[in-house]
Amino acid sequence: MMGFRPVTLPVRGPGDRLTALFWRRPDLLLVLLLAPPLLWLGVVYLGSLAALLLQSFYSIDEFSGLVVQEFTLKTYLELLRPSNFDILLRTVGMAAAVTLGCAVIAFPIAYYAARYARGRWKAAFYLGVMLPLWSSYLVKVYAWKLILSKEGIVTWATDAAGASAVLNAVLALPVIGGNSLSTSYIGTWIVFVYVWLPYMILPMQAALERVPQSMLEASADLGATRAQTLRRVILPLALPGVIAGSIFTFSLTLGDYIIPQIIGSSRLFIGQAVYTLQGTAGNIPLAAAFAVVPIAVMLVYLALAKRMGAFDAL
Amino acid sequence: MTDAVEFVGVSRHFGPVRAVDGVDLAIAEGSFFAMLGPSGSGKTTCLRLISGFEKPTGGQIRIFGEESGRVPPNLRNVNTVFQDYALFPHMNVRDNVAYGLMVKGVPRAVRAARAEEMLALVKLDGYGDRKPGQLSGGQRQRVALARALVNEPRVLLLDEPLGALDLKLREAMQDELKALQKRLGITFVFVTHDQGEALSMADRVAVFSDGKVAQVGTPEEVYGKPRTRFVADFVGSSNVLPPALTQRLGGPARWSSLRPESLRLTAAEGAALAGTVTALRYLGAGTRVVIDGPGAELAVLVPAGQALPATGARVGLAFDPAMLHVMDEA
């Protein structure tokens, strides 16, 4: 015979009481979980974004240098002035080039990690991808300045390999070339690609990992070549991951002001323009208008991606 | 006549694991061939060797007489219905079915028409615009079937084709697959762990065990005349009698099998074979009575409507001596 066993077990303490409360009122738990992030997102984040947006509709009095708190589109029109518009084109162009470069370099790495790497190799992959993120961003950028400079290791290595003619030919290219790699757009691009690459690899790898092996086999079974399987099955299914990665690389490049300042042709990018305008120039409205551009570009980019069906497989 | 598929001493080893170990097999053209076995017996690897997803580590695979072991999957005129169907989620049903034609460069209008024909064949006319996610399991399976047949393969491979379907649908699909195969005349090779499915659908069955083929034969042969203890037990859970018991029942000193439905319960007194009832398992159409007999556990299938003994009762067993099957295995 089993002894006396109660139907309802005794309450042991506050843990049981809380669990019971949340069991009876599941919505209460949801409110408690969501309140902090919503306060953060709603007040601190969206609030400051609204303040920024508001500033961009003000203008600056050219004589006194004071902000005129009246609604106007004058500041936005100023963005279209050739000198300012060049900054926008330069930044968006660089962001697009960096995203493309990251995608091309990241794909084989992510594909290997998702399809072949197992156990120890997978751990090595994560470590390899994340390790650069652990060291200071500034240190990495200055290291690259040394690597790419005229007296740096790249010049030395190309000389040693007898390929200095190739390097000189590349640097002689119009617009993207320059005196040395560290003072050219090519250099800026290389460092941007290096710094943002992990943000492309990781979402891509996650997306590729979700494509079942049987789907690739089905494609081959039906007669597709490797290239056809890549184009018709793998890429469409991995596209959400590619888009997620490109959102990172694109928006991070749009907003960065340190890399183009240290490496490149000293021509301004959006981030640098914002930095100088809000600092010494004290032109907060124009700085705000510049800051709104990346947001607008990203919204257009996402709308285009959605229209292309990038999120259909989600 | 050349066989559709022929295995000559085929092996597939994964390191120390011998998934397929020296298999010889001949699958006749136009037949419905089942590879039956428990998981890990090598049947699925054999199927993947035919489709080309596995390369043999030894032996030869011939498809219609052509040595195919080194031909990549996309160049084999063999198509597969995958266990999880592997439909492309980003394409609608029509594009899924037409995929094999699309990669071969067939013009759009032609392949759309062919896809509609294939969908009609599997009774899914009008479903072309849906996405696989909007279909039921049974419908998805039909799409997978249509997609595999659109290339008019010489051999169609089916990997546990009915595994994910519920019982009612499974039985309907069994009849349908059988009818489809008859109509198309294509060689069907399917893998299953369900002996009922293998026996009811196939013309010939190969029973796999530990990477080897234990027996190949018609369903009647495999069920009625198992060659080994494993086959007797796996195909229809037959009673396996050790040599001593076979001898007592009038046979030679060899292992033998006796189907549960061949045994009848009688009174314990005066019976040649008697034992104690240890368990009863109700199966609907009958009850499986397990008896602790002399030297072996014996199961008896008692048809519904007949009197059942109580657990612990002593019962006698009677059978037609012709039903006692002496096995090759010593």
Side-chain angles (χ1 to χ4, degrees):
Chain A
M1 267 306 281
M2 301 266 238
F4 169 77
R5 289 179 302 132
V7 175
T8 306
L9 301 174
V11 172
R12 288 163 299 179
D16 277 337
R17 256 175 236 119
L18 264 180
T19 305
L21 177 66
F22 290 144
W23 177 76
R24 280 191 287 264
R25 303 281 314 273
D27 43 343
L28 191 66
L29 182 61
L30 201 64
V31 167
L32 282 178
L33 283 175
L34 285 180
L38 279 181
L39 277 178
W40 171 259
L41 203 72
V43 178
V44 181
Y45 184 75
L46 288 179
S48 49
L49 211 61
L52 178 80
L53 209 58
L54 193 64
Q55 284 288 335
S56 69
F57 287 109
Y58 294 158
S59 62
I60 198 152
D61 186 285
E62 281 175 28
F63 283 112
S64 61
L66 292 173
V67 175
V68 184
Q69 299 200 343
E70 264 169 53
F71 184 87
T72 171
L73 287 174
K74 206 175 103 193
T75 316
Y76 278 105
L77 276 176
E78 243 181 277
L79 284 181
L80 298 178
R81 264 205 345 235
S83 62
N84 288 338
F85 198 68
D86 271 358
I87 297 177
L88 302 187
L89 282 183
R90 184 178 303 128
T91 313
V92 173
M94 179 60 77
V98 167
T99 300
L100 205 64
C102 282
V104 169
I105 296 170
F107 188 83
I109 301 173
Y111 190 81
Y112 163 77
R115 289 260 154 248
Y116 299 103
R118 292 285 171 269
R120 207 176 277 250
W121 286 108
K122 194 129 203 165
F125 158 78
Y126 279 117
L127 205 64
V129 172
M130 310 270 253
L131 206 58
L133 296 179
W134 297 352
S135 60
S136 159
Y137 165 82
L138 268 181
V139 170
K140 285 183 289 184
V141 175
Y142 275 108
W144 271 104
K145 189 173 180 65
L146 292 180
I147 292 169
L148 297 175
S149 68
K150 213 169 182 61
E151 305 77 26
I153 191 165
V154 173
T155 314
W156 175 82
T158 44
D159 273 348
S164 48
V166 178
L167 182 62
N168 289 334
V170 169
L171 288 175
L173 290 172
V175 187
I176 59 168
N179 204 13
S180 73
L181 281 176
S182 66
T183 56
S184 68
Y185 282 136
I186 299 177
T188 322
W189 179 81
I190 290 173
V191 178
F192 266 133
V193 168
Y194 167 81
V195 173
W196 305 144
L197 194 57
Y199 298 96
M200 182 62 98
I201 294 177
L202 292 176
M204 237 186 202
Q205 182 244 356
L208 285 169
E209 216 151 62
R210 283 203 304 269
V211 181
Q213 180 69 26
S214 65
M215 233 157 256
L216 310 189
E217 288 182 349
S219 176
D221 187 74
L222 293 164
T225 60
R226 285 288 175 116
Q228 284 173 320
T229 302
L230 179 73
R231 163 149 161 50
R232 303 288 179 179
V233 179
I234 300 175
L235 280 183
L237 289 178
L239 202 57
V242 179
I243 297 291
S246 67
I247 289 169
F248 283 127
T249 56
F250 203 76
S251 60
L252 286 169
T253 309
L254 284 181
D256 195 85
Y257 68 102
I258 300 204
I259 290 172
Q261 191 187 329
I262 297 172
I263 292 162
S265 62
S266 71
R267 278 182 284 252
L268 292 183
F269 280 64
I270 289 179
Q272 291 165 285
V274 173
Y275 184 75
T276 30
L277 284 171
Q278 61 83 38
T280 41
N283 191 344
I284 298 287
L286 189 56
F290 261 114
V292 167
V293 172
I295 299 170
V297 170
M298 284 317 293
L299 288 177
V300 170
Y301 179 68
L302 283 180
L304 281 177
K306 187 168 176 345
R307 178 167 287 189
M308 276 168 53
F311 308 113
D312 287 0
L314 278 182
Chain B
M1 193 169 79
T2 24
D3 286 314
V5 179
E6 193 184 356
F7 276 40
V8 185
V10 172
S11 295
R12 178 66 176 100
H13 296 176
F14 298 96
V17 180
R18 300 176 169 207
V20 173
D21 201 19
V23 165
D24 294 299
L25 210 59
I27 301 173
E29 181 174 5
S31 65
F32 202 137
F33 194 92
M35 295 185 177
L36 174 67
S39 60
S41 61
K43 56 187 192 311
T44 300
T45 310
C46 273
L47 198 79
R48 292 171 61 82
L49 282 163
I50 303 175
S51 58
F53 299 128
E54 296 292 347
K55 290 189 273 277
T57 40
Q60 289 190 322
I61 296 168
R62 300 200 192 104
I63 300 175
F64 285 93
E66 283 175 36
E67 167 62 40
S68 299
R70 298 282 152 204
V71 179
N74 57 321
L75 297 180
R76 293 190 192 196
N77 203 356
V78 162
N79 288 117
T80 308
V81 175
F82 288 83
Q83 187 172 7
D84 61 356
Y85 313 141
L87 299 179
F88 305 125
H90 57 295
M91 298 179 195
N92 63 22
V93 166
R94 183 179 305 107
D95 289 344
N96 261 286
V97 174
Y99 188 83
L101 301 173
M102 190 263 290
V103 295
K104 289 197 180 96
V106 174
R108 178 175 283 278
V110 179
R111 59 182 200 243
R114 280 286 292 147
E116 283 308 327
E117 274 173 47
M118 296 319 292
L119 285 172
L121 184 72
V122 296
K123 299 177 192 152
L124 279 180
D125 341 40
Y127 280 73
D129 290 319
R130 306 229 188 149
K131 285 281 182 82
Q134 298 167 306
L135 302 180
S136 70
Q139 291 170 333
R140 262 181 248 176
Q141 207 221 358
R142 286 159 194 267
V143 176
L145 197 60
R147 185 177 69 169
L149 287 170
V150 81
N151 282 343
E152 297 173 8
R154 300 292 299 271
V155 181
L156 183 76
L157 308 173
L158 303 109
D159 187 4
E160 301 270 3
L162 309 176
L165 305 179
D166 57 51
L167 185 65
K168 200 84 195 139
L169 203 52
R170 200 153 62 210
E171 284 172 352
M173 273 314 279
Q174 282 183 12
D175 296 340
E176 237 172 87
L177 276 178
K178 187 82 191 145
L180 194 63
Q181 192 266 337
K182 277 229 167 64
R183 208 163 114 207
L184 299 172
I186 294 174
T187 312
F188 277 32
V189 180
F190 81 108
V191 154
T192 181
H193 62 267
D194 181 333
Q195 48 95 10
E197 207 170 282
L199 296 180
S200 68
M201 282 203 287
D203 306 328
R204 284 178 80 75
V205 179
V207 185
F208 280 77
S209 163
D210 289 328
K212 294 188 173 70
V213 175
Q215 185 170 357
V216 189
T218 62
E220 294 81 8
E221 282 168 357
V222 172
Y223 185 78
K225 297 182 166 53
R227 280 186 48 219
T228 67
R229 278 181 276 165
F230 173 81
V231 176
D233 181 47
F234 189 76
V235 184
S237 350
S238 193
N239 292 306
V240 177
L241 314 183
L245 189 56
T246 311
Q247 214 167 15
R248 244 187 74 184
L249 298 175
R254 297 262 288 279
W255 287 88
S256 63
S257 75
L258 194 54
R259 293 280 152 199
E261 63 272 26
S262 307
L263 283 163
R264 284 188 321 277
L265 293 177
T266 60
E269 294 82 47
L273 197 57
T276 313
V277 176
T278 56
L280 298 169
R281 191 145 64 100
Y282 181 64
L283 301 172
T287 302
R288 195 178 163 93
V289 180
V290 184
I291 291 146
D292 185 21
E297 188 172 79
L298 297 166
V300 180
L301 188 73
V302 179
Q306 292 189 15
L308 290 168
T311 310
R314 238 187 117 64
V315 293
L317 295 165
F319 64 96
D320 175 1
M323 300 311 286
L324 183 72
H325 168 70
V326 179
M327 292 189 282
D328 297 358
E329 193 179 30

